[in-house]
């Protein structure tokens, strides 16, 4: 089957229609951990698979744009919380970090950064002034998270930089240009966005740095000051933000009060009892994060949960708790035609439409932004996939990546009436055929 579908305005607009009624002993590790050690599922294939040669040749495809949505890399717990009895008293609740956060500020609005005229300051977190007791900030990107997002960027470089119609940018020069008229890729051809959390800022910037590394040919150029678009986290809609969209609270209440949800949730009484009795009152809002941040870094989990062998072992208590915790959000994100996801992700989808899809359809004008990168969270990736209809229902692992590409094609006008096509990839898999409303 073709891995391209015709790019038309209505299917994408329909997506917005609302139906409002540290230690590491060696594993085994859940797929969620996105281990970069070799061999691993995370590094076994390109993060965006190449367009099949048969499809490319039969359609004379030429890539126009890519909108990339990522989850940040591996991190510490995003807040200090009760995980289970004994956790806070154990050494496993102490987190020490080796990743560096450097800061530099231009003296004036018009000044440029340079390696000689400005100092860079390293943020050093010190105990006991940290909520995680060690040298880590809550939610801080771990060294493995750095490796994951660097790999994402390197993989995208292989996919998007080259000298064929299926590459977005030429192989030389492939650095970002510091100013108009200098060699490199103009900043007008890219757009980078993320919320104002350290882990998302770092993850996106690591990816971009690996995708557009400084080359020997560009070392003599002035330092490139790259715009990074963000906002106050409390109002940022890159994740389902009830403060910026109160209507989301009504949709959530409707989903969680539906008879189907109430009945299925009650049917997991043994798991509810496990959290309450065996884990000392753990709650569903935090238990998945507690389990995964522990398992992915070689920390201990309580005896009742210590039976993980593989994700495929659905009968293990570990995976049963993970599955029910995932189902609690999956039900909300898919309920009533994914109305919650569509409303929550409307600002993100609108940005993709305005920067990529609609300009790709226009026969005139400046054309689409060639590459847009949106750095967010698992709660960005899940509803985005849900509204597209391509989510597999599994909680996205660290450094998960979605790409929405647009193409110009010269093929059967009955199949591609606008001479345009699109493709969606998720974590190395082409999922285009599953896009809702387009099959």
């Amino acid at each position: 089957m073709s891995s391209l579908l015709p790019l038309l305005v209505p299917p994408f607009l329909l997506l917005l229609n609302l139906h409002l009624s540290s230690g590491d002993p060696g594993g085994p590790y859940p797929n969620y951990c996105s281990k970069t050690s070799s061999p691993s599922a995370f590094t076994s294939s390109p993060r965006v698979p190449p367009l099949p040669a048969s499809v490319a040749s039969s359609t004379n495809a030429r890539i126009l744009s890519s909108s990339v949505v990522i989850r940040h890399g591996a991190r510490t717990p995003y807040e200090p919380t009760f995980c289970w009895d004994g956790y806070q008293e154990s050494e496993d609740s102490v987190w020490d970090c080796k990743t560096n956060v450097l800061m530099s500020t231009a003296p004036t609005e018009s000044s440029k950064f340079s390696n000689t005229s400005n100092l860079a300051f390293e943020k050093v977190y010190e105990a006991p002034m940290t909520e995680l007791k060690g040298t880590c900030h809550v939610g801080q990107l771990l060294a493995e998270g750095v490796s994951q997002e660097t790999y994402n960027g390197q993989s995208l470089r292989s996919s998007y930089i080259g000298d064929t119609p299926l590459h977005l940018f030429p192989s030389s020069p492939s650095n970002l240009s510091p100013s108009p008229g200098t060699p490199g890729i103009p900043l007008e051809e890219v757009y980078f966005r993320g919320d104002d959390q350290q882990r998302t800022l770092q993850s996106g910037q690591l990816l971009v740095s690996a995708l557009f590394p400084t080359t020997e040919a560009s070392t003599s150029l002035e330092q490139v000051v790259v715009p990074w678009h963000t906002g106050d986290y409390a109002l940022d809609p890159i994740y389902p933000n009830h403060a910026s969209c109160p209507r989301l609270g009504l949709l959530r209440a409707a989903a969680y009060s539906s008879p189907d949800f109430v009945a299925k949730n009650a049917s997991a009484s043994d798991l509810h009892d496990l959290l309450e009795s065996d884990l000392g009152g753990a709650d569903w809002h935090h238990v998945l994060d507690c389990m995964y941040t522990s398992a992915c870094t070689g920390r201990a989990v309580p005896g009742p949960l210590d039976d993980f062998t593989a994700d495929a072992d659905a009968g293990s208590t570990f995976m049963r708790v993970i599955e029910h915790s995932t189902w609690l959000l999956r039900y909300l994100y898919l309920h009533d035609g994914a109305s919650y996801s569509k409303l929550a992700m409307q600002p993100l989808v609108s940005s993709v439409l305005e920067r990529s899809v609609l300009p790709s359809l226009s026969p005139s004008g400046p054309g689409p932004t060639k590459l847009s990168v949106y750095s967010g969270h698992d709660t960005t990736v899940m509803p985005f996939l849900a509204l597209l209809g391509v989510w597999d229902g599994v909680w996205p692992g660290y450094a998960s990546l979605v790409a929405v590409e647009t193409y110009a094609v010269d093929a059967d006008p009955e199949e591609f009436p606008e001479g345009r096509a699109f493709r969606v990839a998720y974590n190395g898999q082409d999922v285009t055929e599953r896009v809702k409303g387009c099959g």
Side-chain angles (χ1 to χ4, degrees):
M1 301 179 69
S2 171
S3 60
L4 289 176
L5 286 177
L7 178 63
L8 304 169
V9 175
F12 273 86
L13 294 181
L14 284 174
L15 298 176
L16 298 178
N17 291 344
L18 306 179
H19 299 279
L20 299 177
S21 26
S22 8
D24 200 335
Y29 297 106
N31 292 336
Y32 175 101
C33 301
S34 301
K35 290 294 181 180
T36 54
S37 56
S38 182
S40 73
F42 184 78
T43 58
S44 63
S45 60
R47 301 299 280 157
V48 177
L51 190 68
S54 59
V55 175
S57 61
S58 65
T59 61
N60 295 309
R62 174 172 60 88
I63 192 168
L64 300 175
S65 72
S66 179
S67 300
V68 175
V69 180
I70 66 167
R71 184 192 177 189
H72 57 74
R75 56 156 173 77
T76 66
Y78 64 87
E79 64 181 10
T81 187
F82 174 83
C83 285
W84 41 71
D85 275 342
Y87 178 82
Q88 289 296 339
E89 295 74 34
S90 71
E91 293 183 359
D92 287 341
S93 66
V94 180
W95 291 79
D96 288 308
C97 289
K98 298 179 181 179
T99 50
N100 296 324
V101 180
L102 299 180
M103 302 181 298
S104 184
T105 303
T108 64
E109 183 178 349
S110 60
S111 67
K112 294 285 186 180
F113 293 98
S114 74
N115 292 329
T116 59
S117 64
N118 287 279
L119 298 176
F121 298 90
E122 179 182 358
K123 295 181 74 173
V124 180
Y125 289 94
E126 295 183 345
M129 299 179 292
T130 57
E131 294 183 284
L132 299 181
K133 304 178 183 179
T135 58
C136 293
H137 174 60
V138 288
Q140 183 169 337
L141 199 69
L142 297 172
E144 188 163 46
V146 173
S147 298
Q148 291 161 348
E149 296 299 356
T150 300
Y151 178 79
N152 271 346
Q154 292 169 341
S155 185
L156 290 183
R157 182 173 177 83
S158 297
S159 296
Y160 292 145
I161 292 184
D163 299 310
T164 77
L166 299 181
H167 294 104
L168 284 170
F169 305 106
S171 59
S172 180
S174 61
N175 58 284
L176 293 175
S177 171
S179 58
T182 57
I185 297 164
L187 293 178
E188 293 76 15
E189 295 185 356
V190 295
Y191 174 78
F192 306 132
R193 154 97 167 92
D195 66 60
D196 199 17
Q197 295 276 301
Q198 279 188 187
R199 61 187 178 276
T200 47
L201 292 172
Q202 287 180 287
S203 292
Q205 291 165 13
L206 284 162
L207 182 152
V208 170
S209 297
L211 174 54
F212 301 111
T214 300
T215 62
E216 290 186 9
S218 64
T219 52
S220 61
L221 301 176
E222 60 183 303
Q223 188 167 1
V224 185
V225 180
V226 181
W228 193 272
H229 301 265
T230 190
D232 289 331
Y233 182 74
L235 296 176
D236 199 319
I238 202 168
Y239 63 95
N241 192 325
H242 291 214
S244 62
C245 183
R247 178 68 176 171
L248 290 172
L250 299 177
L251 293 177
R252 181 176 62 184
Y256 286 159
S257 63
S258 66
D260 179 56
F261 175 85
V262 171
K264 183 168 182 178
N265 192 39
S267 70
S269 58
D270 62 324
L271 296 180
H272 296 307
D273 291 342
L274 173 73
L275 265 64
E276 181 62 33
S277 300
D278 296 354
L279 302 186
D283 68 87
W284 286 108
H285 181 67
H286 294 105
V287 69
L288 179 143
D289 193 62
C290 289
M291 292 169 65
Y292 274 146
T293 53
S294 295
C296 293
T297 57
R299 286 168 166 79
V301 296
L305 300 176
D306 192 17
D307 63 349
F308 176 83
T309 57
D311 287 68
D313 183 10
S316 70
T317 303
F318 185 99
M319 288 309 301
R320 289 185 65 222
V321 172
I322 290 295
E323 166 54 25
H324 189 74
S325 187
T326 303
W327 172 79
L328 293 171
L329 267 188
R330 184 169 65 234
Y331 190 92
L332 173 62
Y333 288 158
L334 298 177
H335 178 69
D336 190 27
S339 59
Y340 180 94
S341 297
K342 292 173 183 177
L343 181 59
M345 291 291 103
Q346 186 172 14
L348 175 56
V349 174
S350 294
S351 181
V352 173
L353 284 168
E354 292 166 6
R355 295 184 176 280
S356 175
V357 176
L358 297 180
S360 293
L361 285 163
S362 175
S364 59
T369 301
K370 287 189 176 182
L371 177 68
S372 300
V373 175
Y374 302 87
S375 181
H377 304 265
D378 44 9
T379 49
T380 304
V381 172
M382 284 186 283
F384 186 69
L385 293 172
L387 70 88
L388 288 171
V390 301
W391 186 26
D392 57 10
V394 176
W395 202 289
Y398 293 132
S400 284
L401 185 152
V402 187
V404 179
E405 301 172 333
T406 64
Y407 291 82
V409 294
D410 181 12
D412 184 355
E414 291 189 5
E415 184 177 2
F416 300 99
E418 300 289 342
R420 296 292 186 267
F422 76 94
R423 187 171 75 128
V424 181
Y426 173 49
N427 284 346
Q429 301 297 316
D430 188 325
V431 295
T432 312
E433 295 290 344
R434 289 158 46 191
V435 173
K436 189 173 183 179
C438 297

